[in-house]
Amino acid sequence: MIVSGCEPFRVWSRLEPRPRRTELDNPLRARVHDALWMLTRQWQFGEFHGEDTGSAIVATIARTVSDVVAVRVGDAPATAYDASVPLEAQVEQLPIDFPPAWRAQLGRYAARLIAERVGPGVSVPALRAALAQLYPLEPAPAATDPVAAAWAAQAGPGGRVRAALAGRGIDGYRLATEQRAGQTLAEVPGTLAAVVPADAAGKLLDALDELRAWFESVYPQPEPATDGWDGGRLEYSYSAVVARDANRGLALRGAPTPDGNVDWYSFDVTGDAPVPPGAPAPVTEVTSVIPGAVSYPGMPNARWWQMEDARVDLGSLRADSTDLTKIIVTDFALVYGNDWFAVPYEQRLGTLAEILGVVVTDVFGHRTLLTAATGAAGDNWAAWDLFSLSGAVPGLAPLGQHLFLPPALPPQRPGPVLEEVAFVRDEAANMVWGIETRIRDGLGTGRDAGEAARRLSTALLPPASSDATSGGGAEGLRYLLGTTVPENWIPFVPVHTGQDDHSVRLQRAWMPRPVPAGSRIRPVTSILRAGIEADDRQTSPYFINEEEIPRAGVQVRAAMQRARWTDGSIVVWHARHTVSGRGPGDSGLRFDVLEAATGQ
């Protein structure tokens, strides 16, 4: 009954099956009582005209797997690849600066390790005293000029920690690096050997060797000639060699992304290269697997009376006559989506796998040989050819369809920024500035370089006279040959490369320091100190390619990286990465300036 203005009274009836038997054997058989009707329906929908009615059941894959056998960093000769260390740690590693706090922590760990390995027969206080005597933490060197004295005065917490640890702690860095593999008791300092019982001398040697091996594995240090950082291009330069046979390899030039990640797209083929003696040769593998159907959200179900996922409704897609791509993708998904299969494929890190062929066996026993749709990698630039390495040199023979998995880490989160330099273009001054925004603080982290530069300038200024502080004196004009810039702004001026009249590159220059007279401002960060000795003497110039500094600028950051490799070991290294800048800058540098002078 429905009354006007009132909600109708609704009644629902639910139909439920009532089984007549308790056994389920017969219903589970799902017998077809009218097989002719099923055949008629197949004829009605045209299923008898299909040519691909056999489903894939087995796929046999033949591939050749080649290992990475050598790595070349910078201009150094190629060396055998060490599989116990990730690729980033081998090509990005820079010298690690261990501040006094880190050295003291390493010293405490070393003393505890030696005491545990030697056993209860050693006196721990005597052991610590012997190590502190042999490997003491040195105080800061005495300042020999006003600039060094000003830097020492505003060293901050790092300087106070160094002064507190001087003569008290153990320099664990020296203790670990001065040990030699296979050393004898005669090579151990007598002061250290005297505090260890005679019957535990072998344990002392084992403990020192264990300390050395642990330090070298956790903190890999590059050789002096194997620095992979290319300061002229502000990126790393390296390459990997993949074995092609027992005597020949394939060189792959690497170029990491600005954030430091290394993947297959970071490499290009550059040609043949020699392989180290004893390198493993490529191996041909044949594997049989069961393929599985590819599925995606909104995919039409292959069986009748099944509902598709309602979250993606391809049937409701609206496309205009000009949306050709959308129409093609929709038609492919609705008509041919269930024709694709996925084959499980496992590949080790640090290998290049080339697919020789795939043989698919269907349910009727028919075997079909599948080949790559595009043939050789890079053979047809207009065809689908993902995951293939490009050739960096024209005329190289293309590889077959392949997949390269470099022995690299997943994306990592770097540690705190230790050093940072922002390269900006100054159109008014017609030069590029390397602005040091972060410098080391002596505690293993970074501090504001601008604040440190202001404190240094204030400490170097002479005391103001009484007339200047009181505001007295004559007023007038003062001529300046040029204005000054903050001390953390390092200039880079364009110079000719010598190849032609139009090619230029940026050369590091210097700004004069007002006080003391004749002093030159030198960079503080290791990013800009290439070719400068510890006493600020420049031994070689530093150039940057002009095209590396775009109008938006670029920032170079140095930080510590820590990662865990596939075997569970921990690796720590020092690396640099580049990020995009924040636009041009203005240093305020002017020449031939007249300004109002008061109290002069």
Side-chain angles (χ1 to χ4, degrees):
M1 179 178 65
I2 302 178
V3 182
S4 178
C6 297
E7 184 69 18
F9 179 73
R10 295 183 175 89
V11 178
W12 287 270
S13 297
R14 185 173 62 181
L15 299 178
E16 296 182 358
R18 177 178 297 176
R20 299 181 180 181
R21 298 180 181 180
T22 58
E23 298 83 5
L24 298 178
D25 296 340
N26 190 53
L28 290 177
R29 293 192 181 98
R31 295 178 177 177
V32 177
H33 296 279
D34 193 353
L36 181 60
W37 180 86
M38 301 292 295
L39 295 175
T40 305
R41 294 291 290 177
Q42 287 184 286
W43 169 81
Q44 183 179 3
F45 283 92
E47 293 185 9
F48 294 153
H49 298 284
E51 298 179 356
D52 54 352
T53 55
S55 301
I57 190 172
V58 175
T60 303
I61 306 174
R63 59 179 180 176
T64 300
V65 181
S66 306
D67 292 280
V68 174
V69 295
V71 175
R72 181 180 180 182
V73 180
D75 297 330
T79 58
Y81 168 67
D82 184 6
S84 63
V85 181
L87 183 63
E88 292 92 338
Q90 299 186 41
V91 302
E92 295 181 356
Q93 58 180 345
L94 298 170
I96 302 177
D97 181 22
F98 287 84
W102 289 10
R103 293 171 180 255
Q105 291 178 356
L106 288 174
R108 291 175 59 88
Y109 172 76
R112 185 171 65 252
L113 175 66
I114 295 174
E116 291 177 356
R117 297 298 183 268
V118 172
V122 63
S123 174
V124 178
L127 175 63
R128 293 182 180 275
L131 292 176
Q133 180 182 356
L134 293 171
Y135 309 99
L137 286 170
E138 302 293 342
T144 58
D145 57 83
V147 177
W151 273 114
Q154 55 99 31
R160 293 192 292 270
V161 169
R162 182 169 187 173
L165 293 175
R168 301 178 182 178
I170 303 171
D171 192 342
Y173 173 76
R174 284 185 52 203
L175 174 58
T177 55
E178 292 183 6
Q179 306 306 316
R180 186 180 60 84
Q183 63 182 350
T184 62
L185 187 62
E187 298 176 292
V188 178
T191 305
L192 178 58
V195 299
V196 177
D199 57 349
K203 297 181 180 179
L204 174 62
L205 294 177
D206 294 340
L208 294 177
D209 189 70
E210 180 182 350
L211 175 65
R212 177 199 56 81
W214 169 83
F215 183 84
E216 292 178 354
S217 63
V218 176
Y219 301 98
Q221 294 277 35
E223 297 295 334
T226 58
D227 188 352
W229 177 257
D230 187 351
R233 302 178 60 184
L234 301 181
E235 64 181 15
Y236 286 97
S237 174
Y238 65 94
S239 61
V241 179
V242 178
R244 304 299 291 170
D245 52 44
N247 302 315
R248 183 177 60 92
L250 186 67
L252 307 178
R253 185 182 63 189
T257 56
D259 55 2
N261 296 330
V262 178
D263 210 331
W264 65 269
Y265 46 79
S266 304
F267 294 86
D268 295 325
V269 181
T270 58
D272 294 338
V275 297
V283 178
T284 301
E285 300 177 353
V286 179
T287 308
S288 296
V289 294
I290 299 177
V294 174
S295 62
Y296 51 87
M299 177 180 178
N301 289 321
R303 300 178 62 86
W304 294 101
W305 315 116
Q306 287 184 343
M307 301 300 177
E308 287 81 8
D309 189 356
R311 291 176 296 179
V312 179
D313 187 5
L314 297 176
S316 300
L317 189 64
R318 298 293 181 264
D320 297 331
S321 58
T322 57
D323 298 334
L324 182 60
T325 304
K326 188 183 297 185
I327 296 174
I328 292 176
V329 172
T330 306
D331 182 70
F332 178 83
L334 293 175
V335 179
Y336 304 101
N338 60 348
D339 293 340
W340 290 85
F341 291 85
V343 176
Y345 182 93
E346 293 185 359
Q347 182 176 341
R348 293 180 291 107
L349 288 177
T351 57
L352 173 70
E354 297 181 67
I355 304 299
L356 303 179
V358 180
V359 176
V360 178
T361 305
D362 58 20
V363 293
F364 297 108
H366 298 160
R367 291 180 175 86
T368 305
L369 175 62
L370 304 182
T371 58
T374 57
D379 191 28
N380 184 5
W381 65 269
W384 177 263
D385 194 13
L386 190 61
F387 303 114
S388 295
L389 303 180
S390 303
V393 180
L396 291 177
L399 296 174
Q401 287 301 318
H402 59 274
L403 176 63
F404 178 56
L405 290 183
L409 296 163
Q412 299 293 311
R413 182 178 180 181
V417 177
L418 302 178
E419 296 176 340
E420 183 180 55
V421 176
F423 293 93
V424 299
R425 288 190 174 272
D426 187 355
E427 301 296 343
N430 193 26
M431 64 174 58
V432 170
W433 295 93
I435 307 174
E436 296 179 319
T437 57
R438 300 286 294 180
I439 60 176
R440 299 176 184 269
D441 63 349
L443 295 176
T445 56
R447 60 171 174 160
D448 187 1
E451 179 64 22
R454 286 189 293 270
R455 291 185 177 184
L456 179 65
S457 300
T458 303
L460 292 175
L461 289 177
S465 63
S466 58
D467 291 341
T469 56
S470 61
E475 296 184 359
L477 297 178
R478 181 177 62 173
Y479 169 75
L480 297 177
L481 183 63
T483 59
T484 59
V485 297
E487 290 216 1
N488 60 320
W489 288 54
I490 308 301
F492 283 80
V493 296
V495 295
H496 289 287
T497 60
Q499 299 177 355
D500 52 61
D501 296 336
H502 303 284
S503 299
V504 297
R505 54 181 177 175
L506 305 173
Q507 181 179 0
R508 180 189 59 202
W510 54 271
M511 294 291 293
R513 183 179 282 116
V515 179
S519 176
R520 299 180 178 183
I521 299 177
R522 296 298 191 187
V524 179
T525 61
S526 61
I527 301 173
L528 299 181
R529 285 189 66 89
I532 298 179
E533 300 294 334
D535 57 356
D536 284 347
R537 291 184 302 105
Q538 178 171 306
T539 57
S540 61
Y542 175 43
F543 299 95
I544 298 179
N545 297 340
E546 193 268 342
E547 64 273 10
E548 299 298 333
I549 312 298
R551 181 176 177 81
V554 65
Q555 298 182 37
V556 180
R557 297 172 180 174
M560 298 298 295
Q561 306 281 341
R562 183 179 185 272
R564 189 180 295 273
W565 193 221
T566 54
D567 58 355
S569 60
I570 296 177
V571 183
V572 180
W573 72 98
H574 174 211
R576 294 173 186 160
H577 298 149
T578 59
V579 296
S580 179
R582 300 180 180 179
D586 185 7
S587 62
L589 180 63
R590 302 293 184 271
F591 299 96
D592 297 328
V593 178
L594 284 177
E595 65 178 12
T598 302
Q600 302 295 327

